[in-house]
Amino acid sequence: MYLKNIELENNGPIDYINLTLHEGHENPKPIIIVGENGSGKSILLSHIVNCMIAAKQEIFEDVEVERGKVYKYRSPLYVKSGSYYSFSQVNFSASVSVTEWQLLQSRSDFEQNLAYTPARQSWPQIPENEASHFSSNFANYRNDVEKMVKQQCNLYFPVNRFEDPGWLNVGNLTSRAKYTDIKRISGYSNRNIICTSPLRENRDWLLDVLFDRQMYELQMPTLMLPASENQPPQMLRIFGGYRGQSNAIYEAILRLLKVVLREEGNIRFGIGNRKQRQISIIKDEAAWIPNLFQLSTGEVQLLNLFLSILRDFDLSDASFNELADVKGIVVIDEIDAHLHSGHQIDVLPELIASFPGVQFIVTTHSPLFLMGMERALGENGFKIIDMPKGNQIVSSDFSEFVSAHDEFKRTERYREQIGEELIRLSKPIVFVEGDYDVRYLNRAAHFLGKEDVLARVEVRDGDGFGNLDKIWKSYNNHISTVLPGKVILMYDCDISKQNADNSKIFRRVMPTIQENPVKIGIENLFPPATIEKLEAANPRFIDVRPQTLSRIRGEEVVQSAVTSVNKDEKRNVCDWLCLNGQQEDFANFQVIFRIIEEIAAA
């Protein structure tokens, strides 16, 4: 079971995001969360980890957080400034979901003082005299939850994960590996979700794997040699290799080790005697590394991270034959921390690609890591989410990438390399007038089967038609010829502009649909039936100025009725439509996708 989507509203710096994390394909795409410090990356992860721990609490007793309590601190201090509540909903596949509310006052006081009710189905579940609420439907889907926590890995690597360097303490280097002590008690999983210092556990588990492989999976068939003149028949045992799950895990570990060490030679593990049980690496049948965990800090960190995934899956109830069998959810905060540039751009992406069945959700500040992911998985093989708005971007749009480029370009060695990457990774950019336009387009793409169109471009909030004008003025000249990709400025229908092109910059105005009630903004695309549904859902959403009869200079003048979305309710209208809207509500958005397709394909 994977994470399907997460919706956050008014959480810290996050105004509103609704992220699709898995679209139902066989293998999930890695999700990479980027953004400046304080943009809400860790807040996003905390909601996900909180749900993973809550799911484990439903099935097991040995959970890092006591049953009935939550991992993530919930407080009014985390409600976005200027807002009265925060909301989150995390949806897993199989309809499993977790909902969380935090109000600045009790629900009854909220409704009485603000005369406003958020348009969400879970609102009535909040007790009237409480301001905080956490709920899940785990009990209704217990079989699915049990399968999730028992038959897949669920891990969180916080930013404060730490391993002692080999030189810090001689005791660390010479401490003996020992066999794992596993409790065979009902209700115990013998596994932790939160991984901070897994070195010792991985070392002991690796010893178990090596022992089981040698003890139970060694193939030694017997060959009977016929009798000769001078001797009777003889039995000859022949080495036939190893066969079994421990050997499959052993081979997978060697594959990961070769990636970390960037080594293609003939390597295997060696084990010290019982008085000094250290795991070494043998290369071409000669001692190479006397202690597996005496590698560099970055190598140890990478090895432990991915060994932990393999170990956790091995301790689950699932069976293992190859790395593609490993399923689960792995959350990593600042995945690039303490890693050399070579590890970021080459090793780390290859390790992630080695686990196609794992849903990786990670944060990063490294543009090199994003470049490496592009090389390893392709442009559409992973998603980059830019916080705090939750927009999907490409590598070259990452702000840290631009900053790194400014630094790297000072040397001749990097100037050409990064410049080529910027051009290669660029996509057409579509600027719309506001954030609600971005959300409407994403929802419309879902209903109209146009996700592939949005995947080929970047849709961004232009923050008003005035800023779109500034972009046009800046590039409506010969400078537009050197833009790495096309730029489309998409104005709402009520803006008095003419469609125009100049090299790689295109200005387009959404056509007005005269028969629709709302004449201003992107809401003009919604048909009368949709406006009627909005009015029925909440009369505060829609303002109507009825037809009036005026007399001007002695002549009667009829002023038509005006229907509009209340300016203070625009976000709530967008929330309602994105949550409750259907395909017929978004049918007129086809015209926008046609414009984008025509320009992108030209």
Side-chain angles (χ1 to χ4, degrees), residues 317-516:
D317 292 345
S319 59
F320 178 89
N321 292 300
E322 57 182 3
L323 288 175
D325 294 331
V326 180
K327 312 291 183 186
I329 303 169
V330 175
V331 180
I332 309 171
D333 202 357
E334 294 193 18
I335 191 171
D336 55 286
H338 310 300
L339 295 182
H340 182 270
S341 59
H343 289 137
Q344 294 177 31
I345 197 169
D346 293 325
V347 178
L348 187 53
E350 186 174 349
L351 290 170
I352 289 175
S354 299
F355 290 85
V358 171
Q359 185 178 37
F360 287 96
I361 302 174
V362 308
T363 67
T364 187
H365 288 281
S366 171
L368 295 177
F369 169 57
L370 298 182
M371 290 168 58
M373 289 293 290
E374 169 86 13
R375 294 177 183 176
L377 297 176
E379 182 178 328
N380 297 318
F382 64 105
K383 288 185 177 181
I384 306 174
I385 305 298
D386 189 26
M387 299 297 289
K389 292 190 175 182
N391 297 328
Q392 186 174 343
I393 64 172
V394 294
S395 301
S396 58
D397 293 330
F398 180 29
S399 59
E400 305 265 356
F401 190 103
V402 178
S403 298
H405 178 239
D406 290 340
E407 294 299 322
F408 287 153
K409 70 181 182 182
R410 296 178 183 178
T411 68
E412 189 65 30
R413 175 167 168 252
Y414 285 106
R415 182 183 294 114
E416 183 177 348
Q417 175 186 353
I418 302 299
E420 289 175 355
E421 289 295 330
L422 282 169
I423 294 173
R424 185 175 65 84
L425 298 176
S426 62
K427 284 184 178 181
I429 299 175
V430 180
F431 284 102
V432 292
E433 289 194 21
D435 180 49
Y436 305 140
D437 295 13
V438 177
R439 291 173 56 193
Y440 282 138
L441 282 174
N442 284 320
R443 196 62 177 152
H446 168 75
F447 283 122
L448 304 177
K450 295 295 184 179
E451 290 97 337
D452 60 323
V453 177
L454 293 191
R456 295 197 300 269
V457 301
E458 291 300 314
V459 180
R460 296 188 186 178
D461 175 7
D463 199 18
F465 70 88
N467 282 328
L468 268 59
D469 286 344
K470 292 177 183 177
I471 296 173
W472 176 259
K473 291 177 182 178
S474 298
Y475 290 102
N476 186 23
N477 50 54
H478 67 279
I479 297 177
S480 64
T481 62
V482 299
L483 286 171
K486 297 176 181 178
V487 175
I488 304 172
L489 306 178
M490 188 72 67
Y491 287 82
D492 290 342
C493 65
D494 55 293
I495 301 300
S496 180
K497 300 286 182 183
Q498 296 295 322
N499 292 342
D501 304 346
N502 187 345
S503 185
K504 295 182 181 179
I505 188 164
F506 302 82
R507 185 172 67 192
R508 294 292 184 270
V509 180
M510 299 178 192
T512 302
I513 302 179
Q514 297 293 343
E515 62 269 24
N516 286 351

Side-chain angles (χ1 to χ4, degrees), residues 53-54 57 60-71:
I53 290 179
Q57 289 173 335
F60 289 113
E61 296 179 13
D62 59 332
V63 188
E64 292 93 317
V65 179
E66 183 181 344
R67 185 189 298 265
K69 297 183 179 180
V70 293
Y71 172 66

Side-chain angles (χ1 to χ4, degrees), residues 27 58 65 109 122 138 153 160 199 227 248 274 284 321-322 373 407 469:
N27 288 326
E58 186 73 20
V65 179
D109 290 342
S122 59
F138 290 155
C153 62
N160 63 334
L199 186 150
R274 64 180 179 274
D284 296 329
N321 292 300
E322 57 182 3
M373 289 293 290
E407 294 299 322
D469 286 344

